[in-house]
Amino acid sequence: GENVEQHPSTLSVQEGDSAVIKCTYSDSASNYFPWYKQELGKRPQLIIDIRSNVGEKKDQRIAVTLNKTAKHFSLHITETQPEDSAVYFCAASLTAAGNKLTFGGGTRVLVKP
Amino acid sequence: AAGVIQSPRHLIKEKRETATLKCYPIPRHDTVYWYQQGPGQDPQFLISFYEKMQSDKGSIPDRFSAQQFSDYHSELNMSSLELGDSALYFCASSLGGGFTEAFFGQGTRLTVV
């Protein structure tokens, strides 16, 4: 089955700096890669996703890149703000009927004012 | 817009008791996933259903069972509860097949004492 690894496990940045989180996956058939943000005790919320036919996607301060050959994808947050502090999870799935998401281990991001 | 509804939000049970968690997916969503998240852990996939049939199975203990009903809601039944079952249980729903996101419910916090 799919295995997703995520690094780093914790990330502390100064407000205004950039944050980068990297993930690798094992199943070359995976073709959908979402990123979720989870605040303490709350549900994971989708912040951005990328499909395997796209190499990069951007939404305001958030961007995701995908390298299918190397089987890794990354989340970039620019101009970080204190409200960006949360746990971020990458995930991978094969979008067939009844597909499941396999999550990475999570990255705890702390943005210091 | 309607979201994924989980009930109850909080549940306290004693060891060896039984618990039932309910999940009502977003209307027209045909796929339901159950995840277990321990403190400081990433969500662990338990089981999923697509069109009322089990579509995938993860690290779900034999003491747990689940099903998806004709109205697409799902129930997770947990018997012989153990202290280690204390966790946040998330349900997510999506449209099976194609490139779709999974939307998570608010979760049920189960505490076994």
Side-chain angles (χ1 to χ4, degrees):
Chain A
E2 177 64 276
N3 181 51
V4 179
E5 296 193 355
Q6 184 172 346
H7 300 281
S9 56
T10 59
L11 181 58
S12 182
V13 297
Q14 208 64 40
E15 182 178 359
D17 287 351
S18 294
V20 180
I21 304 170
K22 298 183 179 181
C23 289
T24 60
Y25 61 99
S26 61
D27 189 347
S28 57
S30 290
N31 56 7
Y32 175 62
F33 308 92
W35 287 86
Y36 285 85
K37 176 183 180 182
Q38 187 178 28
E39 296 175 6
L40 189 63
K42 297 190 176 179
R43 75 180 97 188
Q45 294 206 303
L46 179 71
I47 55 172
I48 196 167
D49 57 19
I50 192 165
R51 275 70 168 174
S52 61
N53 59 340
V54 176
E56 184 173 357
K57 184 177 178 180
K58 190 173 181 181
D59 182 4
Q60 299 183 337
R61 297 185 297 107
I62 293 173
V64 59
T65 59
L66 171 65
N67 183 328
K68 281 228 72 176
T69 303
K71 291 190 285 187
H72 66 70
F73 55 115
S74 301
L75 177 73
H76 303 250
I77 307 173
T78 58
E79 301 172 23
T80 54
Q81 301 167 3
E83 53 265 37
D84 293 331
S85 297
V87 178
Y88 291 81
F89 292 98
C90 63
S93 85
L94 172 63
T95 55
N99 58 290
K100 72 175 190 288
L101 287 175
T102 300
F103 284 86
T107 297
R108 184 172 299 279
V109 174
L110 175 63
V111 180
K112 296 181 285 186
Chain B
V4 179
I5 306 295
Q6 288 186 247
S7 69
R9 294 289 309 279
H10 303 272
L11 192 57
I12 300 175
K13 290 285 185 178
E14 295 188 353
K15 283 193 302 184
R16 293 180 288 278
E17 283 192 319
T18 297
T20 298
L21 279 52
K22 297 184 179 182
C23 170
Y24 297 86
I26 291 171
R28 295 189 296 111
H29 278 193
D30 51 18
T31 308
V32 168
Y33 317 79
W34 286 96
Y35 283 85
Q36 177 192 59
Q37 188 176 31
Q41 311 265 318
D42 59 297
Q44 293 294 312
F45 173 70
L46 293 177
I47 195 166
S48 64
F49 293 88
Y50 168 62
E51 281 293 344
K52 293 156 279 184
M53 300 285 288
Q54 181 182 308
S55 54
D56 205 346
K57 195 171 181 180
S59 51
I60 184 169
D62 291 341
R63 300 177 289 107
F64 294 5
S65 65
Q67 58 181 321
Q68 186 179 32
F69 294 85
S70 57
D71 63 352
Y72 294 102
H73 93 272
S74 179
E75 295 184 4
L76 177 65
N77 298 293
M78 310 158 72
S79 62
S80 303
L81 287 169
E82 302 173 356
L83 295 178
D85 296 329
S86 296
L88 257 177
Y89 289 83
F90 287 106
C91 168
S93 76
S94 73
L95 277 172
F99 295 104
T100 61
E101 310 96 339
F103 294 93
F104 283 80
Q106 299 269 34
T108 294
R109 182 173 295 283
L110 172 66
T111 303
V112 182
V113 297

